[in-house]
Structures are given as structure tokens and as C-alpha cells.
Amino acid sequence: MVREFLEEKYRQYASPTFLETDPVQVPHQYEAPNDIEIAALLTATLSWGQRTQIIRFARNLMNALGHSPFDFICSYSQRSEKHTVRFQYRTFTPTDCNAFFHALRQLYLRDNGLRLSFTEGYQSNQTIKSAIANFRRKMLETNLPKRTHKHLSDPINGSAAKRLNMFLRWMVRPATEGVDFGLWTEIPTSHLMLPVDLHSGRAARNLGLLKRNSNDWKAVEEVTAQLAKFDPHDPVKYDYALFGLGIFEKY
């Protein structure tokens, strides 16, 4: 049975050893919730390409922010030489990086931070799509350069929003397995959406959980609905199983 197979793989991969090769290890170097969520968002934003490269560049970025990403963001000034970060990862340029810093500063000083930008969006109609859309809207309201918009996925226009769904899994799911953080209790695990990418999407199709060919928002809804039949309270726990099958076992 598919459910039993996924449960087995979930138990296999959902453990602290998962941190050894996954970008989620980067925010795990912090203890304060604000530091964790900022480090997690920036790391998730960089999470495409080879995982070893993602981890290396995300750690380099955190080093540039000093001991506290939250303190750096709150004191950030676009006009200050000491805050200029010459960081680039693939198409995420220094312009994008410093635009994100400016936008996050506005979120924390004006809108009470990342947590509220997502949770108030979720509460508007109880969906992750609305949570992500609200966060994206608030970021764009800070006058982000047009070129930076592409680093903010838009499920309203069909994007799978893999990186933001992964970020939300980190923030919402409990820390029971030693991987996710369980910091944001306003969003129930039952409403999280699967972070669909090449690896998890392929594994889901091979298991008959996903028929749609494109890895878009409709695919996210389809596969998450199937996983909810196995565990309606925490369907996205199977992200560990599908991702592990896809990337480690080439399933």
C-alpha cells in the first residue's frame, strides 16, 4: 500500500540526520525566533540548484549578516556602506539581496514582521495561497525593483511556490523530528501545501499520487489532497518521503 510505503520513508528521512545535507541546517544555527525566520526565508529564497551550493552560499550570506540576522535587518540602511552586501547566487544579485534587506526591514518595522505577513494572509480565507499572496504583496509594497519580483513566487498566477511552501513547512510543522521549527502556531499543519519540485514531483507521479505533468500550483493542490487522505492532520510530513525518494533513491 502507498500509505504504508510513505510512512516507512517518512520515518526513514524525518530525523536530525536530514540536516546534514539539507539547507534547513542554515537557520538551525540560530536560537532566537526572529533570527531563525529571517535566516530561513533567505535560505529558502536561494534554494534552487545543487544543495551543496545552496548551503555554502546561504552560510556565506548569513556570515555577512553577523551574529543576528534580525539585528542586521532592523538596522539596515541602503545608504550605509557598512550594510552593503556584495552577495550573488546565480540570478540572485547584490541588487536583489539588498532589496530583500530593505523590504524585510519595512516588514519588521511597519508590519510586525514575517510571521504576521503570512499569518494574517492565511487567516483571511484559511489557505496557504492567501498566506503567500499576502506576504508577496507586502514585499512588493516596499518598492522592490522589478527585476527582484521573480524571486517572490506567485501562486495566484500558477506558480508552485516550492521555496515558500518549504519555508512555511519549516516555520509551521513541529520540531518533533528535529528538522522543522514549529514557530508559527497560527497556521495548522493540516493546511500546509507540499513543496513540489522536480524530485518530489517525479516520485509522486511514480506512486500514482500526481497525474498533472506540470509542477505548478494545480499540481501542488492535487498531490497535497492525495496525501491528506493518508494523514489529514499533517499531509506535508510526506515531503520527507517524496523528496528522499526522489533525490536520494532516484525513484
Side-chain angles (χ1 to χ4, degrees):
M1 293 289 290
V2 174
R3 182 184 183 280
E4 285 71 20
F5 180 62
L6 288 177
E7 286 286 344
E8 176 189 342
K9 292 299 176 180
Y10 156 68
R11 290 190 296 270
Q12 176 182 342
Y13 290 112
S15 73
T17 59
F18 190 82
L19 299 178
E20 297 171 4
T21 59
D22 193 81
V24 73
Q25 68 178 253
V26 177
H28 266 278
Q29 67 187 295
Y30 303 102
E31 295 183 359
N34 285 338
D35 288 333
I36 291 170
E37 63 188 30
I38 290 172
L41 180 77
L42 293 172
T43 299
T45 300
L46 303 179
S47 290
W48 82 100
Q50 294 184 348
R51 297 164 89 214
T52 54
Q53 290 288 89
I54 295 167
I55 293 168
R56 180 164 72 87
F57 277 85
R59 286 195 174 279
N60 288 344
L61 179 57
M62 294 305 106
N63 289 338
L65 270 56
H67 71 282
S68 171
F70 177 68
D71 288 348
F72 178 93
I73 290 298
C74 287
S75 63
Y76 176 77
S77 169
Q78 290 178 306
R79 295 178 295 278
S80 173
E81 186 66 28
K82 73 175 183 177
H83 288 137
T84 301
V85 175
R86 302 296 181 189
F87 174 86
Q88 179 159 351
Y89 174 68
R90 303 181 77 168
T91 63
F92 192 79
T93 68
T95 296
D96 301 318
C97 185
N98 287 283
F100 259 65
F101 295 161
H102 172 71
L104 288 171
R105 180 178 184 273
Q106 294 304 305
L107 254 62
Y108 279 94
L109 298 185
R110 184 193 67 198
D111 295 320
N112 295 312
L114 276 172
R115 182 174 188 158
L116 188 62
S117 71
F118 280 96
T119 57
E120 73 175 12
Y122 167 77
Q123 290 163 358
S124 67
N125 69 359
Q126 309 287 293
T127 68
I128 294 301
K129 179 187 279 189
S130 64
I132 293 173
N134 193 64
F135 161 71
R136 188 175 191 275
R137 177 180 62 80
K138 287 185 175 294
M139 290 285 282
L140 296 186
E141 286 175 352
T142 65
N143 297 316
L144 280 181
K146 185 71 174 177
R147 62 152 289 114
T148 308
H149 294 191
K150 66 186 177 185
H151 295 294
L152 293 166
S153 301
D154 186 6
I156 300 296
N157 285 327
S159 169
K162 174 257 183 178
R163 289 172 286 174
L164 289 175
N165 278 321
M166 181 177 70
F167 167 73
L168 285 169
R169 194 204 83 202
W170 294 350
M171 293 298 99
V172 172
R173 288 197 73 256
T176 311
E177 301 100 341
V179 183
D180 300 315
F181 294 95
L183 294 177
W184 295 357
T185 56
E186 298 90 338
I187 300 174
T189 56
S190 58
H191 281 196
L192 289 173
M193 304 299 285
L194 188 74
V196 175
D197 67 1
L198 175 68
H199 308 289
S200 60
R202 183 180 69 244
R205 291 183 183 92
N206 287 338
L207 288 168
L209 299 171
L210 178 59
K211 292 183 169 48
R212 189 170 178 81
N213 292 324
S214 301
N215 288 335
D216 56 12
W217 190 259
K218 289 184 178 179
V220 171
E221 292 178 327
E222 180 184 336
V223 67
T224 305
Q226 291 298 314
L227 296 174
K229 295 177 181 178
F230 302 147
D231 189 337
H233 301 293
D234 189 13
V236 170
K237 77 179 190 183
Y238 298 117
D239 183 35
Y240 291 101
L242 293 173
F243 184 75
L245 284 166
I247 198 163
F248 297 121
E249 302 183 35
K250 309 302 179 187
Y251 188 85

